[in-house]
Amino acid sequence: AQKVTQAQTEISVVEKEDVTLDCVYETRDTTYYLFWYKQPPSGELVFLIRRNSFDEQNEISGRYSWNFQKSTSSFNFTITASQVVDSAVYFCALSGEDSNYQLIWGAGTKLIIKP
Amino acid sequence: DTGVSQDPRHKITKRGQNVTFRCDPISEHNRLYWYRQTLGQGPEFLTYFQNEAQLEKSRLLSDRFSAERPKGSFSTLEIQRTEQGDSAMYLCASSLGTLTYTEAFFGQGTRLTVV
């Protein structure tokens, strides 16, 4: 069965600090996809990144970076120089053949950036 | 195209009443998903359509819930005889995909409160 664990329920940091959101997953699939979504207070889920299981290259997009490590089944998300606008709930999700390609979601990490 | 839109944004209803929500996906997207999200949780899959065909329905979905996508464009989700436990955010998403998963784009959701 597939499962996504986001152990951090809430993180609070001061603006400009770096912060890492953890995501650990379980799957029996050899081909699968990992995602991060952001949910600001407005409620809409905003797609941030998709990574397939064959691509372990880390990715950087501006202040955002993702570290995918198959050896530890982790797909962690780092925000560098955090800003108040980064405050949101962040969800990690997994999709693969085992779930008929439906998204399996973590419980989310609420990130609070204090000015 | 302004993305996925959902209507209404908020709905308050009395227990036992029927409610219907509408979702307009991104126009070229052939897949449409419904999710339910309660406070502090990740989205929970309800059902999905590929074009007008409803391909999967969650086992957790009560028979009071029904979804349609009659022309493969917009979709409606109806809840009959609402219960207080139905109070949640109902999210719609759409994607362009065939066998594998592509990123889904979400609407802002319909927040249902059953009193």
Side-chain angles (χ1 to χ4, degrees):
Chain A
Q2 297 185 321
K3 184 180 177 182
V4 175
T5 302
Q6 294 179 257
Q8 306 147 310
T9 54
E10 184 172 307
I11 300 175
S12 180
V13 300
V14 177
E15 198 172 21
K16 298 183 183 177
E17 287 185 13
D18 299 347
V19 59
T20 295
L21 309 181
D22 297 333
C23 173
V24 174
Y25 63 92
E26 297 174 27
T27 182
R28 295 176 298 190
D29 291 328
T30 52
T31 302
Y32 52 90
Y33 300 86
L34 294 163
F35 302 79
W36 276 95
Y37 280 84
K38 173 182 179 180
Q39 188 173 42
S42 60
E44 182 175 354
L45 280 159
V46 178
F47 167 79
L48 295 178
I49 189 172
R50 177 182 73 154
R51 177 61 91 220
N52 76 53
S53 52
F54 294 109
D55 182 2
E56 285 193 72
Q57 207 169 16
N58 290 331
E59 179 153 341
I60 298 174
S61 176
R63 296 184 298 105
Y64 295 172
S65 62
W66 291 269
N67 182 3
F68 175 32
Q69 292 198 346
K70 285 179 79 170
S71 60
T72 55
S73 297
S74 65
F75 186 44
N76 296 338
F77 172 33
T78 298
I79 301 175
T80 304
S82 60
Q83 299 176 3
V84 173
V85 293
D86 296 327
S87 297
V89 180
Y90 290 85
F91 289 96
C92 180
L94 166 70
S95 170
E97 190 176 8
D98 198 26
S99 67
N100 198 22
Y101 293 101
Q102 299 309 316
L103 283 170
I104 306 299
W105 296 82
T109 297
K110 183 176 182 179
L111 178 62
I112 300 169
I113 310 296
K114 298 177 183 175
Chain B
D1 196 340
T2 56
V4 179
S5 62
Q6 292 187 244
D7 183 69
R9 293 289 311 279
H10 303 274
K11 178 72 177 179
I12 300 174
T13 191
K14 291 183 178 179
R15 190 173 52 183
Q17 297 294 306
N18 299 344
V19 294
T20 300
F21 310 141
R22 178 181 169 120
C23 171
D24 287 272
I26 293 173
S27 56
E28 63 267 26
H29 285 182
N30 57 339
R31 287 188 169 183
L32 186 146
Y33 308 81
W34 284 99
Y35 290 85
R36 176 171 61 191
Q37 186 180 23
T38 52
L39 201 61
Q41 299 295 319
E44 172 191 26
F45 169 75
L46 294 179
T47 188
Y48 99 92
F49 293 83
Q50 178 141 328
N51 301 311
E52 66 275 9
Q54 187 174 17
L55 295 189
E56 189 170 345
K57 192 173 173 181
S58 169
R59 291 189 301 273
L60 303 174
L61 202 60
S62 157
D63 57 10
R64 296 183 296 105
F65 287 70
S66 62
E68 294 181 346
R69 195 183 183 197
K71 297 181 180 178
S73 56
F74 75 91
S75 175
T76 57
L77 176 69
E78 181 183 15
I79 309 174
Q80 295 182 325
R81 304 180 303 281
T82 52
E83 302 172 357
Q84 286 190 319
D86 297 332
S87 295
M89 175 78 87
Y90 289 84
L91 295 165
C92 176
S94 70
S95 71
L96 185 62
T98 53
L99 294 178
T100 59
Y101 196 91
T102 57
E103 53 268 30
F105 294 86
F106 284 79
Q108 291 186 298
T110 294
R111 183 170 296 284
L112 173 66
T113 303
V114 182
V115 297

